[in-house]
Amino acid sequence: MPPSHDWDNAFTATDARGLVAHAPAFGGAPSFLRRRYSRDLAGIDVAVLGIPMDTATSHRPGARFGPRGIRAISSNLAWARPWPWKIDPFEALAIVDYGDCQFDFGDPASMPQVITEQVDAILAAGAATLVLGGDHYVTYPVLRAYHRRHGPLSLVHFDAHSDTWPDEGERVDHGTMFYHAVKHGLVDDRRSAQIGLRTTNDEPLGFNIFDARAVHAQGPAAIARQVLDIVGDHPVYLTFDIDCLDPSVAPGTGTPVCGGLSSHQALEIVRGLAGINLVGMDVVEVAPVYDVGEITALAGATLAAEFLCLFAANPRREAGR
């Protein structure tokens, strides 16, 4: 079919639902999945929020450009519902691209509270967030906002690193924030799962860990079944550090680790989690400057689209509105 004469759905859309089936992927404003840019959250289910912060990185910076890179490549995915899902998140959910979290980059100490406040405002309006990072620290202030509404959360955490190394004070560090999340009661580690880990931490707290070798040995379906048993009906926040994937398929990240998951394995685990009580989600640590052919950004955008399917498939979602 011929392309639409109106490619800029990001500005011209009048409905937060529906596909943009005939706009060419190479043109138009790069909102996430061609959703309308808007901060009007009346009737909105999910607000896509970029958090372009990477000051907490311990190795290579660059994830501040992650939201931009994910949005740009996502136009390649906006023409149809994600395969092989039967539920169409574009019809089931009213989704807007909320733009980026605004903070003073010259005042890094203020950033966590600013992030929490902006996410809190979105949640207060009745929408959930799909966050595009940014380094992984950004998840911590987001969890603070979610905890205010849901209490202690189950964390489903895909990563090469545990991010639970012990720490004192409130340092802005992308390797310690889940240590603090547990210690402050934001996350119930006994009802949480970490998937894909392959770095050493001899004090992993009480998380249920399915390291990369377990995924390779057991397969995605078995891992997903176990995670479902662990989280039960508990409110779940899903966070995906793109370095969970092997550097061969996701080179564009700050702290790559060999021996990781394939995109197929990660996607199949996510699909196997259908029915969880998902309340919020993010994709973090995409650093386009190290990418090759946008394959890391594409993986991030694809996972984020699948998270929308997972959110739409939550049978408790309408009851909780």
Side-chain angles (χ1 to χ4, degrees), residues 9 16 18-19 26 38 49 60 81 116 142 145-146 157 200 224 251 271 309 321:
N9 195 69
L19 290 166
F26 57 80
S38 177
L49 176 68
R60 304 187 299 193
R81 76 174 187 269
T116 297
V142 173
Y146 272 89
H157 171 206
T200 301
R271 293 163 185 161
C309 296
R321 285 185 62 85

Side-chain angles (χ1 to χ4, degrees), residues 32-195:
F32 183 69
L33 294 173
R34 294 197 181 279
R35 299 301 90 192
R36 183 181 74 220
Y37 276 115
S38 177
R39 299 209 164 181
D40 179 359
L41 297 179
I44 297 301
D45 297 301
V46 180
V48 180
L49 176 68
I51 307 183
M53 169 186 163
D54 64 5
T55 54
T57 53
S58 56
H59 188 29
R60 304 187 299 193
R64 65 181 60 188
F65 298 105
R68 184 179 296 176
I70 292 171
R71 284 182 173 113
I73 197 64
S74 75
S75 62
N76 186 51
L77 308 173
W79 60 277
R81 76 174 187 269
W83 181 90
W85 291 86
K86 299 304 181 185
I87 191 167
D88 186 345
F90 301 114
E91 294 295 341
L93 302 172
I95 307 166
V96 295
D97 192 322
Y98 196 77
D100 286 347
C101 183
Q102 299 175 31
F103 47 78
D104 181 355
F105 65 86
D107 184 11
S110 71
M111 291 180 186
Q113 183 60 28
V114 170
I115 293 169
T116 297
E117 290 173 356
Q118 292 192 33
V119 173
D120 196 48
I122 293 170
L123 301 183
T129 55
L130 166 57
V131 167
L132 309 177
D135 68 50
H136 210 163
Y137 177 83
V138 304
T139 303
Y140 182 54
V142 173
L143 286 173
R144 285 189 179 276
Y146 272 89
H147 177 263
R148 291 174 181 173
R149 280 165 175 73
H150 298 283
L153 297 152
S154 289
L155 190 70
V156 175
H157 171 206
F158 290 79
D159 207 321
H161 311 86
S162 68
D163 296 342
T164 56
W165 283 278
D167 190 14
E168 296 181 1
E170 287 291 336
R171 296 174 62 253
V172 178
D173 186 330
H174 74 161
T176 65
M177 67 283 175
F178 295 143
Y179 172 85
H180 292 298
V182 171
K183 295 301 182 182
H184 291 309
L186 308 181
V187 166
D188 182 349
D189 51 348
R190 301 290 175 178
R191 302 185 72 171
S192 298
Q194 296 182 308
I195 302 163

